[in-house]
Amino acid sequence: MDYIKEKTPPVREDRLRVCNAYGGSCPVLVKQSRKGCINGLRRSFSQTQGCQLNLSLASLNTFRDTVIIVHGPVGCGGSNVSSAGSVKTFKKLRDPQAQGLIWLSTNLGEADVIRGGETAVQEAVFYAEQEFRPEIIMVVNSCVPALIGDDLDGLLAELQPQVHARLAPVHCEGFKSRIMASAYDAVYHGILRNLTAPPERDKSVILDETEEFRCKLRKSRTVNLLNVSSMSRADELELSRLLQALGLTVNILPHFAHPEQFKEATEAALNISICATHDDYFVEHLRDLFGIPFILNTIPIGVKNTNKWILDIAGHFGLEEQAKQLISRENAELEEAIAPFRPQFQGKRVLACAGEIRVIATAEMLQYLGMEVIGLRAYHYDQFADNLLDDLANREKIPINVATGQPFEQANLIEKLKPDVYLGHVNNNGWAARHGLPVLPIFQQSNNYMGYNGTFEVARRLARILRNPAFNRNLSQNNDQPYFDHWFKEEPFSYIDGNVILEGDR
């Protein structure tokens, strides 16, 4: 993999086996994925679609000592308003002196579409430098300047000698990709091209000694723990606790990181991903550019996957015995802690919705707790989920819907499957609540979800909402569904072209 020489990263449709439209059985999806037959799946009707620019901003807004400039109409940064409070709160958990979210817009109008928006970028950069004195200024390119041909990289290269802040363009134009997760590649592309640099080497070291020096460096105990979008502060503390129990030093990035941490990232012995959907672009480039190996096999959610995650990391450092002892202690303590909840979970049927890696690992965790997983919804699907889905128990009986948004498919699926509880991200939970289902957020910045403590927290919270589901039940009895009754009589995936329907995996 070597895309860093290019100004813009490739979209995931061009780089991976990927789709965001599928409905059918898990084994059929894995089979189609491995044959390379999922890229062409489309919907003849689509109700909603995520934008990679908004997802890029969700990551960039967390960087400390950084100003974000959204190059485009002012509405393209509108989502920042809703995140300003939480960003400030969670920045200060890492650094009490950190500032809140600072973002500007070039506010392009109709005249700028004709004349070009480069002057607006220049004015915004100089204003940000003079007013805030940040370490980094990230300039996010939206659809409009990309369509009219603004040379963002060339302009920032000209401005760089005139400002102290490091200027970094991020190309995340929403129209380029159907796969919203392309945003992670866009953010990492901007980091790799502008915020990381090779470690400085002593020029007096002769060539034969250089490789020995690099080898010693890689045997150090510092690891990069990557936390894009799926890790709360509580998760960071839990995973750091487990890694530190193996004697490792943890550098956490990119979310809520300081610019200096991106430079330090090039000196680590190992890059540890919690989700291949987020991190494959970054870790493969760090391996190719700086020789840093990586762990990318699973996500530490639930007992099975957390055990595997720890063993994979320990194997790199030759710490297998210490890891097995740690796992044995943690598993025993967790089993004792969740035993009181198990009777309440027996027979409960669950529908879960999240990113592909997270939702599969969550399904394994729910099965461990004694619940029955009757359906999955993933925002998109790519090759990194094949092995995880292959290992999921009872996968032959579990339908999976791949969809970014598409609440009309979710509503139909809920009516067909009749789950007892729904796990999903906040933007989908409201739709599920209208059906009267108890809902549990699958991720929140204030909750622990990963590692062994995360499994206990999920069990504790699930038990609480199952004990008292009255609010959502009353909500469903006093609100009408936004869809006609005849839609619920149709197949939930009938608008996915070339798709295998729910009962059609014969």
Side-chain angles (χ1 to χ4, degrees):
M1 180 185 289
D2 186 10
Y3 300 113
I4 300 305
K5 296 177 183 178
E6 305 297 327
K7 292 181 179 180
T8 61
V11 295
R12 295 207 171 185
E13 293 94 323
D14 297 335
R15 191 171 68 82
L16 301 173
R17 304 192 309 268
V18 62
C19 75
N20 70 343
Y22 177 84
S25 77
C26 294
V28 171
L29 176 56
V30 173
K31 181 179 179 181
Q32 290 183 349
S33 173
R34 287 178 173 153
K35 289 168 61 178
C37 298
I38 62 175
N39 287 60
L41 293 174
R42 299 287 190 278
R43 283 182 175 79
S44 57
F45 168 75
S46 181
Q47 186 178 5
T48 58
Q49 172 62 53
C51 171
Q52 67 160 331
L53 181 141
N54 283 330
L55 190 54
S56 294
L57 287 174
S59 292
L60 296 170
N61 288 344
T62 67
F63 293 4
R64 304 205 309 264
D65 203 1
T66 302
V67 170
I68 309 298
I69 297 175
V70 181
H71 183 32
V74 69
C76 287
S79 62
N80 287 342
V81 176
S82 65
S83 66
S86 61
V87 165
K88 180 177 181 179
T89 297
F90 292 107
K91 278 185 179 181
K92 286 185 173 294
L93 284 180
R94 280 79 172 179
D95 177 9
Q97 304 304 316
Q99 295 178 303
L101 171 60
I102 302 174
W103 71 282
L104 309 173
S105 173
T106 54
N107 193 21
L108 297 186
E110 293 179 357
D112 298 303
V113 175
I114 299 171
R115 297 192 301 256
E118 294 182 5
T119 300
V121 173
Q122 179 174 316
E123 292 174 354
V125 167
F126 287 152
Y127 178 82
E129 170 76 6
Q130 181 176 2
E131 187 73 14
F132 303 108
R133 298 291 180 180
E135 189 71 23
I136 303 173
I137 298 175
M138 308 289 290
V139 185
V140 179
N141 212 36
S142 68
C143 296
V144 172
L147 289 170
I148 65 178
D150 282 355
D151 182 11
L152 184 61
D153 291 73
L155 174 61
L156 295 184
E158 291 181 8
L159 296 177
Q160 184 62 79
Q162 304 176 55
V163 296
H164 165 77
R166 184 65 181 165
L167 304 180
V170 176
H171 295 272
C172 52
E173 303 84 0
F175 70 86
K176 285 187 174 181
S177 177
R178 295 179 295 109
I179 308 301
M180 189 168 60
S182 294
Y184 302 123
D185 303 346
V187 170
Y188 277 137
H189 192 82
I191 291 173
L192 287 162
R193 277 177 60 89
N194 301 281
L195 305 183
T196 59
E200 294 184 4
R201 305 298 184 195
D202 188 343
K203 295 181 180 179
S204 65
V205 178
I206 63 173
L207 184 62
D208 291 342
E209 293 177 335
T210 301
E211 191 57 37
E212 181 181 356
F213 176 75
R214 288 170 60 84
C215 183
K216 289 180 180 179
L217 183 68
R218 298 301 168 229
K219 290 180 180 178
S220 72
R221 294 295 184 90
T222 299
V223 298
N224 293 324
L225 179 61
L226 306 180
N227 67 344
V228 174
S229 291
S230 282
M231 189 190 298
S232 68
R233 180 55 178 164
D235 291 330
E236 290 178 2
L237 295 174
E238 165 67 356
L239 298 185
S240 294
R241 177 183 72 86
L242 296 174
L243 295 176
Q244 289 165 359
L246 297 176
L248 303 178
T249 301
V250 184
N251 179 37
I252 302 175
L253 73 157
H255 273 202
F256 302 102
H258 189 272
E260 288 301 316
Q261 291 178 256
F262 296 115
K263 298 177 182 178
E264 295 170 4
T266 63
E267 295 282 4
L270 182 68
N271 284 313
I272 300 175
S273 169
I274 62 161
C275 180
T277 292
H278 299 156
D279 301 325
D280 82 293
Y281 192 89
F282 192 48
V283 296
E284 291 194 27
H285 276 99
L286 286 178
R287 178 197 60 193
D288 296 342
L289 294 171
F290 307 116
I292 307 174
F294 59 83
I295 299 295
L296 194 70
N297 294 331
T298 189
I299 185 170
I301 290 175
V303 174
K304 177 182 175 182
N305 287 297
T306 301
N307 291 349
K308 186 179 187 309
W309 186 77
I310 291 173
L311 287 171
D312 285 346
I313 296 166
H316 177 78
F317 295 99
L319 301 172
E320 291 90 343
E321 288 305 314
Q322 294 95 313
K324 290 177 182 178
Q325 294 174 16
L326 173 65
I327 289 170
S328 178
R329 292 196 305 271
E330 295 286 338
N331 285 196
E333 291 177 7
L334 176 61
E335 182 57 37
E336 181 180 356
I338 66 172
F341 302 124
R342 287 193 181 277
Q344 192 173 350
F345 297 150
Q346 293 303 313
K348 296 299 183 183
R349 294 154 47 87
V350 189
L351 174 64
C353 174
E356 50 161 351
I357 305 297
R358 190 182 193 94
V359 78
I360 298 170
T362 292
E364 183 279 325
M365 175 173 58
L366 295 171
Q367 291 173 340
Y368 167 80
L369 294 175
M371 307 179 84
E372 180 186 359
V373 178
I374 61 170
L376 300 175
R377 298 190 77 236
Y379 289 151
H380 80 278
Y381 188 90
D382 59 40
Q383 62 215 46
F384 298 110
D386 290 346
N387 291 336
L388 283 173
L389 201 52
D390 251 352
D391 291 340
L392 182 64
N394 297 323
R395 61 192 177 281
E396 300 86 359
K397 300 178 181 179
I398 302 174
I400 182 169
N401 177 206
V402 180
T404 309
Q406 313 306 335
F408 75 103
E409 288 181 354
Q410 173 176 293
N412 188 308
L413 197 60
I414 288 174
E415 291 299 314
K416 290 284 193 304
L417 297 177
K418 305 294 184 185
D420 297 310
V421 63
Y422 177 92
L423 274 72
H425 285 290
V426 173
N427 54 339
N428 289 321
N429 288 352
W431 293 100
R434 292 174 73 104
H435 294 267
L437 295 178
V439 297
L440 179 72
I442 211 164
F443 171 73
Q444 286 181 317
Q445 274 289 352
S446 56
N447 291 334
N448 184 197
Y449 200 93
M450 295 187 180
Y452 304 111
N453 284 342
T455 299
F456 171 77
E457 282 298 307
V458 170
R460 184 182 65 84
R461 291 161 57 214
L462 268 173
R464 185 179 69 245
I465 66 168
L466 288 171
R467 283 196 301 270
N468 186 15
F471 181 86
N472 288 357
R473 185 172 58 242
N474 292 337
L475 179 67
S476 69
Q477 294 170 354
N478 292 278
N479 281 275
D480 294 329
Q481 288 290 342
Y483 306 107
F484 291 116
D485 290 339
H486 68 75
W487 165 238
F488 295 109
K489 298 176 182 178
E490 297 184 27
E491 293 296 336
F493 314 128
S494 56
Y495 287 100
I496 301 177
D497 298 332
N499 187 66
V500 182
I501 64 174
L502 185 61
E503 289 83 16
D505 297 329
R506 298 184 283 272

